[in-house]
Amino acid sequence: MTLTTLAVLVPLLPFLGAVAGLLLGRTAPGFVRPLAVLPTLLAFALAVTVAVRQGTGPATDAGTRLTPTGSVPVDLAVHLDGFSVLIAVLVTLVASCVQIYSTGYLRDDPRYSSYAALVSLFTAAMLLVVYSGDLMVLLVGWEVMGICSYFLVGHYWETPEARAASLKAFLVTKLGDVPFLIGIFALGADAGTFRINGVLTAAASGQLHHPTLIALLLLGGVAGKSAQFPLHTWLPDAMAGPTPVSALIHAATMVAAGIYFVARLLPVFELSSAALAVLAAMAAVTMIGSALSALAQDDIKRVLAYSTIGQLGYMAGALAVGNRSAAVFHLLTHGAFKALLFLAAGVVIHAAGTNSLATMSRMRDLRSRVPDAMWTMAVALAALAALPPFSGFFSKESVLRAAEYAAEGHQAHVPSAVGWTVLVAGLLTALLTAAYATRLFLLVFRGSGGEAPAAHRTPVVMNAVLWLLAIPALALGVTAGKLPQWFDGTSLAPTLATSVLGVGLALVGVLVTYAAWRHTETRANRVPIGAVVAPDSVEPAATEAAAIAAHPQVYGDIAGAPDPADPGRLLLGPLHRYAVHGFGLDVLYSKAFVRPVLAAAGLVRFLDREVVETYVRTAGGVPRLLGLLVRRAQTGNVQTYLSVLLGGSVVLAVLAVLVASGA
């Protein structure tokens, strides 16, 4: 079987699994789980085969004319190189783990069949993006992912949070997709083709006449899909969906698509220094702002969501300094440890019965209930904090190395100011990332209050998936010496300067956060607020919040504090109130866009009802009135007709007499 045929089968298998799952979900429920897991596992095996056969050789590009358009043709094309085949392995690995994990996590969910089918379709759409050699075909996968995310984020549609989150995710990403679509059309028109290799050839030969405009339009879609400032606000709210969906979106699909797209078309973006500067500024603001917000969140999944936004900022920063190898390397390692983080968080939520870090911090036995989740999450958090020898250290250092190289003016087409922007933001984010990663681990697994509520036993498949993902989260960084052969040949090994700075700042973040946690723990332990009931001297309360509100004299100066043992409050100080709400961007967007649109819709509704409908009603009322008069004249009664005829004759006779006498 040829290499291109194998590559076509990789997205086709989960697509067929999705179709079969939707058709047989109700009539043959026994086939739902095999149809969810087996096609994705087989796709993973084929993706590995494609990667091995493609290897480090020259790119494979094959296609056939899909349809004549009369201008720029559209081809059904496959493009295989080191970037695409490794990303496909990541996508299928994470998707397989998510499907296996979901058989335990959602085993009692009545809508599991549709959920599993949508996950398979989501996977197929991302694989289409990864392997596609034509921009229009890539756009199909890009948009299918958008609609899949709408349905999956809104899986628990009974809750208003899920409904609102799914709608927000769809609308915000579509807001970016509008300029993205225009940019693709403009790029195809300039290059004379939608084939990616043709576009890159046109970029290299200087045939693109509007590179800055095209690059900025494309960045709109990238900002929406990859949750970069200012279109990142949908991703934290998307945590209303099932936790395995969060793992899939954050680790291997959807948000990875934008970064991968820029990596594939980086030569186009390098034609415009302005576009690179915009990308660098977007990445810097995203990194720092999301890290501060992560340090303030109480929901464990929102912490991880803001973490994803920040790590995507690292990747965007690497692309801004012209190093797509570092960006894709970090995309690979991030996919492994972020999938592990979300799935481990799912086990913790399963045991604790809550997403709240404040509540978890008051459960002293949580670590003994979920030891597998604790140890694997520790591995993933260490990788997230970029501590050596975990995978995140090597990939993050490759980004900092690329930024340092550009800052020194050694990277062609990249202004040194862009390099300094990414380098400074990356180092500051390294400090903040270690801080919120440490805070999350301490609040979840170092609680000292009451016992966790009774929980069901964690299914074996869920723990097995955690240990499977812990392997790449721990060891994937050792491939840094081999990956340049698969990519552009650029070295990915860390340098001494950035390693010392990055690791030093990360250790400072860990130690300062631990000290703040010890301080807040000591303060919190001055009063017995660990359990969900008041002390013996007062009446029990239904919840801890109710106990504090009912008996403030018992809890003293801690009364009214939502979470007195949270080191994030101490570290952020007055900034906490802004960071916890994402620095008010949602409020700003609501005032600047949502309210004006609603007001305009209200005006249109008023005009439609009071003006247009009034006109229509009047236009219809006049003929109706005339018809009523005519209907009364046409009674069918002969006597009435004779009476009217006689009356009319008398009137005419009188008028004739009057006219004659006047004459």
mmCIF file of all heavy atoms in Angstrom, residues 172-173 219-236 249-250 254-259 282 286-287 290 305-306 308-313 316:
data_model
loop_
_atom_site.group_PDB
_atom_site.id
_atom_site.type_symbol
_atom_site.label_atom_id
_atom_site.label_comp_id
_atom_site.label_asym_id
_atom_site.label_seq_id
_atom_site.Cartn_x
_atom_site.Cartn_y
_atom_site.Cartn_z
ATOM 1 N N VAL A 172 -17.064 33.192 18.924
ATOM 2 C CA VAL A 172 -15.757 33.853 18.992
ATOM 3 C C VAL A 172 -14.818 33.286 17.940
ATOM 4 O O VAL A 172 -14.096 34.031 17.257
ATOM 5 C CB VAL A 172 -15.162 33.722 20.405
ATOM 6 C CG1 VAL A 172 -13.723 34.256 20.433
ATOM 7 C CG2 VAL A 172 -16.005 34.477 21.418
ATOM 8 N N THR A 173 -14.811 31.968 17.787
ATOM 9 C CA THR A 173 -13.950 31.388 16.751
ATOM 10 C C THR A 173 -14.420 31.772 15.350
ATOM 11 O O THR A 173 -13.601 31.983 14.452
ATOM 12 C CB THR A 173 -13.890 29.861 16.886
ATOM 13 O OG1 THR A 173 -15.219 29.318 16.891
ATOM 14 C CG2 THR A 173 -13.191 29.463 18.173
ATOM 15 N N LEU A 219 -3.996 35.802 10.650
ATOM 16 C CA LEU A 219 -3.784 35.818 12.099
ATOM 17 C C LEU A 219 -5.094 35.972 12.865
ATOM 18 O O LEU A 219 -5.180 35.557 14.024
ATOM 19 C CB LEU A 219 -2.820 36.939 12.491
ATOM 20 C CG LEU A 219 -1.338 36.684 12.209
ATOM 21 C CD1 LEU A 219 -0.500 37.877 12.652
ATOM 22 C CD2 LEU A 219 -0.865 35.420 12.908
ATOM 23 N N GLY A 220 -6.106 36.556 12.227
ATOM 24 C CA GLY A 220 -7.413 36.643 12.887
ATOM 25 C C GLY A 220 -7.974 35.263 13.179
ATOM 26 O O GLY A 220 -8.454 34.982 14.283
ATOM 27 N N GLY A 221 -7.909 34.384 12.178
ATOM 28 C CA GLY A 221 -8.388 33.023 12.397
ATOM 29 C C GLY A 221 -7.521 32.253 13.362
ATOM 30 O O GLY A 221 -8.012 31.458 14.173
ATOM 31 N N VAL A 222 -6.218 32.479 13.309
ATOM 32 C CA VAL A 222 -5.302 31.804 14.227
ATOM 33 C C VAL A 222 -5.579 32.229 15.664
ATOM 34 O O VAL A 222 -5.588 31.403 16.585
ATOM 35 C CB VAL A 222 -3.844 32.109 13.831
ATOM 36 C CG1 VAL A 222 -2.878 31.588 14.887
ATOM 37 C CG2 VAL A 222 -3.531 31.502 12.468
ATOM 38 N N ALA A 223 -5.811 33.526 15.880
ATOM 39 C CA ALA A 223 -6.105 34.009 17.231
ATOM 40 C C ALA A 223 -7.386 33.402 17.768
ATOM 41 O O ALA A 223 -7.478 33.062 18.960
ATOM 42 C CB ALA A 223 -6.214 35.536 17.224
ATOM 43 N N GLY A 224 -8.391 33.223 16.907
ATOM 44 C CA GLY A 224 -9.634 32.624 17.369
ATOM 45 C C GLY A 224 -9.505 31.143 17.643
ATOM 46 O O GLY A 224 -9.877 30.650 18.705
ATOM 47 N N LYS A 225 -8.926 30.400 16.705
ATOM 48 C CA LYS A 225 -8.842 28.946 16.851
ATOM 49 C C LYS A 225 -7.853 28.543 17.931
ATOM 50 O O LYS A 225 -8.103 27.590 18.679
ATOM 51 C CB LYS A 225 -8.442 28.326 15.515
ATOM 52 C CG LYS A 225 -8.669 26.832 15.429
ATOM 53 C CD LYS A 225 -10.150 26.489 15.412
ATOM 54 C CE LYS A 225 -10.773 26.761 14.073
ATOM 55 N NZ LYS A 225 -12.198 26.402 13.986
ATOM 56 N N SER A 226 -6.710 29.232 18.031
ATOM 57 C CA SER A 226 -5.692 28.882 19.020
ATOM 58 C C SER A 226 -5.786 29.728 20.282
ATOM 59 O O SER A 226 -4.845 29.748 21.083
ATOM 60 C CB SER A 226 -4.292 29.007 18.404
ATOM 61 O OG SER A 226 -4.071 27.968 17.480
ATOM 62 N N ALA A 227 -6.895 30.421 20.463
ATOM 63 C CA ALA A 227 -7.190 31.141 21.718
ATOM 64 C C ALA A 227 -6.062 32.091 22.113
ATOM 65 O O ALA A 227 -5.549 32.048 23.229
ATOM 66 C CB ALA A 227 -7.471 30.139 22.841
ATOM 67 N N GLN A 228 -5.692 32.963 21.199
ATOM 68 C CA GLN A 228 -4.692 33.974 21.494
ATOM 69 C C GLN A 228 -5.368 35.331 21.660
ATOM 70 O O GLN A 228 -6.422 35.589 21.088
ATOM 71 C CB GLN A 228 -3.659 34.035 20.363
ATOM 72 C CG GLN A 228 -2.841 32.765 20.216
ATOM 73 C CD GLN A 228 -1.942 32.503 21.389
ATOM 74 O OE1 GLN A 228 -0.896 33.109 21.544
ATOM 75 N NE2 GLN A 228 -2.338 31.568 22.242
ATOM 76 N N PHE A 229 -4.745 36.186 22.452
ATOM 77 C CA PHE A 229 -5.287 37.526 22.670
ATOM 78 C C PHE A 229 -5.499 38.217 21.323
ATOM 79 O O PHE A 229 -4.622 38.164 20.462
ATOM 80 C CB PHE A 229 -4.308 38.333 23.533
ATOM 81 C CG PHE A 229 -4.717 39.762 23.752
ATOM 82 C CD1 PHE A 229 -5.584 40.081 24.782
ATOM 83 C CD2 PHE A 229 -4.235 40.766 22.930
ATOM 84 C CE1 PHE A 229 -5.956 41.396 24.981
ATOM 85 C CE2 PHE A 229 -4.612 42.078 23.125
ATOM 86 C CZ PHE A 229 -5.481 42.390 24.151
ATOM 87 N N PRO A 230 -6.651 38.842 21.097
ATOM 88 C CA PRO A 230 -7.744 39.116 22.050
ATOM 89 C C PRO A 230 -8.943 38.163 21.918
ATOM 90 O O PRO A 230 -9.987 38.451 22.469
ATOM 91 C CB PRO A 230 -8.154 40.527 21.640
ATOM 92 C CG PRO A 230 -7.976 40.538 20.145
ATOM 93 C CD PRO A 230 -6.803 39.644 19.852
ATOM 94 N N LEU A 231 -8.791 37.049 21.188
ATOM 95 C CA LEU A 231 -9.914 36.133 20.966
ATOM 96 C C LEU A 231 -9.772 34.850 21.782
ATOM 97 O O LEU A 231 -10.227 33.789 21.375
ATOM 98 C CB LEU A 231 -10.028 35.788 19.472
ATOM 99 C CG LEU A 231 -10.294 36.961 18.528
ATOM 100 C CD1 LEU A 231 -10.388 36.478 17.083
ATOM 101 C CD2 LEU A 231 -11.565 37.697 18.915
ATOM 102 N N HIS A 232 -9.168 34.962 22.956
ATOM 103 C CA HIS A 232 -8.921 33.791 23.795
ATOM 104 C C HIS A 232 -10.015 33.537 24.812
ATOM 105 O O HIS A 232 -9.993 32.505 25.493
ATOM 106 C CB HIS A 232 -7.605 33.989 24.551
ATOM 107 C CG HIS A 232 -7.668 35.120 25.539
ATOM 108 N ND1 HIS A 232 -7.579 36.449 25.146
ATOM 109 C CD2 HIS A 232 -7.843 35.149 26.882
ATOM 110 C CE1 HIS A 232 -7.683 37.225 26.208
ATOM 111 N NE2 HIS A 232 -7.839 36.455 27.274
ATOM 112 N N THR A 233 -10.972 34.414 24.949
ATOM 113 C CA THR A 233 -11.904 34.364 26.082
ATOM 114 C C THR A 233 -12.855 33.176 26.036
ATOM 115 O O THR A 233 -13.458 32.832 27.055
ATOM 116 C CB THR A 233 -12.734 35.659 26.137
ATOM 117 O OG1 THR A 233 -13.414 35.834 24.882
ATOM 118 C CG2 THR A 233 -11.836 36.863 26.361
ATOM 119 N N TRP A 234 -12.975 32.520 24.893
ATOM 120 C CA TRP A 234 -13.893 31.380 24.809
ATOM 121 C C TRP A 234 -13.342 30.133 25.486
ATOM 122 O O TRP A 234 -14.107 29.282 25.959
ATOM 123 C CB TRP A 234 -14.194 31.054 23.346
ATOM 124 C CG TRP A 234 -13.021 30.542 22.558
ATOM 125 C CD1 TRP A 234 -12.120 31.287 21.852
ATOM 126 C CD2 TRP A 234 -12.619 29.177 22.389
ATOM 127 N NE1 TRP A 234 -11.188 30.480 21.254
ATOM 128 C CE2 TRP A 234 -11.468 29.180 21.566
ATOM 129 C CE3 TRP A 234 -13.118 27.962 22.835
ATOM 130 C CZ2 TRP A 234 -10.812 28.012 21.200
ATOM 131 C CZ3 TRP A 234 -12.473 26.798 22.470
ATOM 132 C CH2 TRP A 234 -11.344 26.826 21.664
ATOM 133 N N LEU A 235 -12.009 30.003 25.554
ATOM 134 C CA LEU A 235 -11.429 28.739 25.997
ATOM 135 C C LEU A 235 -11.667 28.438 27.484
ATOM 136 O O LEU A 235 -12.023 27.307 27.833
ATOM 137 C CB LEU A 235 -9.935 28.716 25.673
ATOM 138 C CG LEU A 235 -9.258 27.350 25.777
ATOM 139 C CD1 LEU A 235 -9.942 26.334 24.881
ATOM 140 C CD2 LEU A 235 -7.782 27.442 25.410
ATOM 141 N N PRO A 236 -11.497 29.397 28.410
ATOM 142 C CA PRO A 236 -11.801 29.063 29.810
ATOM 143 C C PRO A 236 -13.261 28.670 30.021
ATOM 144 O O PRO A 236 -13.553 27.749 30.799
ATOM 145 C CB PRO A 236 -11.451 30.360 30.563
ATOM 146 C CG PRO A 236 -10.450 31.042 29.695
ATOM 147 C CD PRO A 236 -10.869 30.737 28.296
ATOM 148 N N ILE A 249 -9.376 18.957 23.079
ATOM 149 C CA ILE A 249 -9.293 20.298 22.501
ATOM 150 C C ILE A 249 -7.959 20.945 22.826
ATOM 151 O O ILE A 249 -7.321 21.562 21.974
ATOM 152 C CB ILE A 249 -10.461 21.168 23.014
ATOM 153 C CG1 ILE A 249 -11.789 20.675 22.432
ATOM 154 C CG2 ILE A 249 -10.238 22.633 22.644
ATOM 155 C CD1 ILE A 249 -12.993 21.424 22.964
ATOM 156 N N HIS A 250 -7.502 20.812 24.064
ATOM 157 C CA HIS A 250 -6.314 21.534 24.515
ATOM 158 C C HIS A 250 -5.016 20.870 24.093
ATOM 159 O O HIS A 250 -3.988 21.543 23.981
ATOM 160 C CB HIS A 250 -6.337 21.663 26.040
ATOM 161 C CG HIS A 250 -7.363 22.624 26.542
ATOM 162 N ND1 HIS A 250 -7.031 23.816 27.148
ATOM 163 C CD2 HIS A 250 -8.710 22.573 26.525
ATOM 164 C CE1 HIS A 250 -8.148 24.456 27.484
ATOM 165 N NE2 HIS A 250 -9.169 23.718 27.113
ATOM 166 N N MET A 254 -8.179 21.454 17.603
ATOM 167 C CA MET A 254 -8.738 22.801 17.743
ATOM 168 C C MET A 254 -7.646 23.841 17.998
ATOM 169 O O MET A 254 -7.201 24.506 17.077
ATOM 170 C CB MET A 254 -9.793 22.819 18.863
ATOM 171 C CG MET A 254 -10.634 24.065 18.921
ATOM 172 S SD MET A 254 -11.867 24.094 17.620
ATOM 173 C CE MET A 254 -12.851 25.477 18.127
ATOM 174 N N VAL A 255 -7.204 23.994 19.241
ATOM 175 C CA VAL A 255 -6.270 25.076 19.537
ATOM 176 C C VAL A 255 -4.906 24.832 18.900
ATOM 177 O O VAL A 255 -4.156 25.781 18.632
ATOM 178 C CB VAL A 255 -6.123 25.272 21.058
ATOM 179 C CG1 VAL A 255 -7.444 25.697 21.682
ATOM 180 C CG2 VAL A 255 -5.608 24.020 21.750
ATOM 181 N N ALA A 256 -4.552 23.555 18.652
ATOM 182 C CA ALA A 256 -3.281 23.270 17.988
ATOM 183 C C ALA A 256 -3.334 23.606 16.505
ATOM 184 O O ALA A 256 -2.287 23.800 15.874
ATOM 185 C CB ALA A 256 -2.915 21.801 18.176
ATOM 186 N N ALA A 257 -4.534 23.695 15.947
ATOM 187 C CA ALA A 257 -4.673 23.888 14.502
ATOM 188 C C ALA A 257 -4.106 25.228 14.049
ATOM 189 O O ALA A 257 -3.449 25.313 13.004
ATOM 190 C CB ALA A 257 -6.145 23.770 14.097
ATOM 191 N N GLY A 258 -4.359 26.283 14.814
ATOM 192 C CA GLY A 258 -3.863 27.599 14.423
ATOM 193 C C GLY A 258 -2.349 27.670 14.416
ATOM 194 O O GLY A 258 -1.734 28.226 13.488
ATOM 195 N N ILE A 259 -1.725 27.114 15.460
ATOM 196 C CA ILE A 259 -0.263 27.105 15.526
ATOM 197 C C ILE A 259 0.314 26.285 14.374
ATOM 198 O O ILE A 259 1.281 26.692 13.719
ATOM 199 C CB ILE A 259 0.192 26.535 16.880
ATOM 200 C CG1 ILE A 259 -0.312 27.427 18.032
ATOM 201 C CG2 ILE A 259 1.704 26.385 16.920
ATOM 202 C CD1 ILE A 259 0.198 28.836 18.009
ATOM 203 N N MET A 282 1.041 39.783 20.286
ATOM 204 C CA MET A 282 -0.085 38.938 20.653
ATOM 205 C C MET A 282 0.365 37.808 21.570
ATOM 206 O O MET A 282 -0.275 37.502 22.586
ATOM 207 C CB MET A 282 -0.724 38.376 19.379
ATOM 208 C CG MET A 282 -1.991 37.591 19.572
ATOM 209 S SD MET A 282 -2.794 37.233 17.970
ATOM 210 C CE MET A 282 -1.626 36.063 17.270
ATOM 211 N N THR A 286 -0.557 37.403 25.562
ATOM 212 C CA THR A 286 -1.246 36.147 25.878
ATOM 213 C C THR A 286 -0.517 35.382 26.966
ATOM 214 O O THR A 286 -1.136 34.884 27.919
ATOM 215 C CB THR A 286 -1.349 35.277 24.620
ATOM 216 O OG1 THR A 286 -2.085 35.981 23.613
ATOM 217 C CG2 THR A 286 -2.054 33.970 24.921
ATOM 218 N N MET A 287 0.795 35.256 26.845
ATOM 219 C CA MET A 287 1.575 34.504 27.827
ATOM 220 C C MET A 287 1.427 35.081 29.232
ATOM 221 O O MET A 287 1.085 34.370 30.190
ATOM 222 C CB MET A 287 3.058 34.496 27.424
ATOM 223 C CG MET A 287 3.427 33.498 26.360
ATOM 224 S SD MET A 287 5.226 33.357 26.150
ATOM 225 C CE MET A 287 5.539 34.722 25.041
ATOM 226 N N SER A 290 -2.444 35.327 30.576
ATOM 227 C CA SER A 290 -3.049 34.039 30.914
ATOM 228 C C SER A 290 -2.398 33.433 32.147
ATOM 229 O O SER A 290 -3.064 32.778 32.954
ATOM 230 C CB SER A 290 -2.928 33.083 29.724
ATOM 231 O OG SER A 290 -1.577 32.847 29.410
ATOM 232 N N ALA A 305 -7.014 25.613 31.612
ATOM 233 C CA ALA A 305 -7.393 26.306 30.373
ATOM 234 C C ALA A 305 -6.512 27.528 30.145
ATOM 235 O O ALA A 305 -5.988 27.743 29.035
ATOM 236 C CB ALA A 305 -8.861 26.707 30.432
ATOM 237 N N TYR A 306 -6.337 28.344 31.178
ATOM 238 C CA TYR A 306 -5.453 29.505 31.041
ATOM 239 C C TYR A 306 -4.008 29.067 30.812
ATOM 240 O O TYR A 306 -3.241 29.747 30.117
ATOM 241 C CB TYR A 306 -5.558 30.404 32.270
ATOM 242 C CG TYR A 306 -6.725 31.354 32.212
ATOM 243 C CD1 TYR A 306 -7.820 31.204 33.053
ATOM 244 C CD2 TYR A 306 -6.731 32.419 31.313
ATOM 245 C CE1 TYR A 306 -8.897 32.077 32.999
ATOM 246 C CE2 TYR A 306 -7.799 33.301 31.249
ATOM 247 C CZ TYR A 306 -8.886 33.131 32.101
ATOM 248 O OH TYR A 306 -9.948 33.997 32.031
ATOM 249 N N THR A 308 -3.138 26.452 29.057
ATOM 250 C CA THR A 308 -3.064 26.150 27.625
ATOM 251 C C THR A 308 -2.885 27.416 26.803
ATOM 252 O O THR A 308 -2.076 27.458 25.864
ATOM 253 C CB THR A 308 -4.331 25.413 27.177
ATOM 254 O OG1 THR A 308 -4.420 24.169 27.865
ATOM 255 C CG2 THR A 308 -4.321 25.154 25.676
ATOM 256 N N ILE A 309 -3.636 28.443 27.148
ATOM 257 C CA ILE A 309 -3.521 29.710 26.416
ATOM 258 C C ILE A 309 -2.088 30.232 26.484
ATOM 259 O O ILE A 309 -1.511 30.676 25.483
ATOM 260 C CB ILE A 309 -4.517 30.735 26.995
ATOM 261 C CG1 ILE A 309 -5.952 30.267 26.760
ATOM 262 C CG2 ILE A 309 -4.294 32.106 26.366
ATOM 263 C CD1 ILE A 309 -6.997 31.107 27.484
ATOM 264 N N GLY A 310 -1.502 30.159 27.678
ATOM 265 C CA GLY A 310 -0.139 30.641 27.835
ATOM 266 C C GLY A 310 0.877 29.807 27.074
ATOM 267 O O GLY A 310 1.811 30.344 26.453
ATOM 268 N N GLN A 311 0.731 28.484 27.087
ATOM 269 C CA GLN A 311 1.673 27.626 26.369
ATOM 270 C C GLN A 311 1.539 27.794 24.862
ATOM 271 O O GLN A 311 2.523 27.728 24.124
ATOM 272 C CB GLN A 311 1.454 26.171 26.774
ATOM 273 C CG GLN A 311 1.704 25.888 28.247
ATOM 274 C CD GLN A 311 3.073 26.357 28.710
ATOM 275 O OE1 GLN A 311 4.097 25.954 28.166
ATOM 276 N NE2 GLN A 311 3.099 27.222 29.715
ATOM 277 N N LEU A 312 0.318 28.035 24.394
ATOM 278 C CA LEU A 312 0.144 28.364 22.978
ATOM 279 C C LEU A 312 0.824 29.694 22.653
ATOM 280 O O LEU A 312 1.312 29.897 21.536
ATOM 281 C CB LEU A 312 -1.345 28.430 22.636
ATOM 282 C CG LEU A 312 -2.088 27.090 22.654
ATOM 283 C CD1 LEU A 312 -3.595 27.328 22.621
ATOM 284 C CD2 LEU A 312 -1.675 26.213 21.489
ATOM 285 N N GLY A 313 0.855 30.588 23.631
ATOM 286 C CA GLY A 313 1.583 31.839 23.455
ATOM 287 C C GLY A 313 3.068 31.601 23.240
ATOM 288 O O GLY A 313 3.718 32.284 22.434
ATOM 289 N N ALA A 316 3.351 30.526 19.656
ATOM 290 C CA ALA A 316 3.204 31.679 18.769
ATOM 291 C C ALA A 316 4.442 32.562 18.815
ATOM 292 O O ALA A 316 4.865 33.124 17.790
ATOM 293 C CB ALA A 316 1.960 32.477 19.161
#
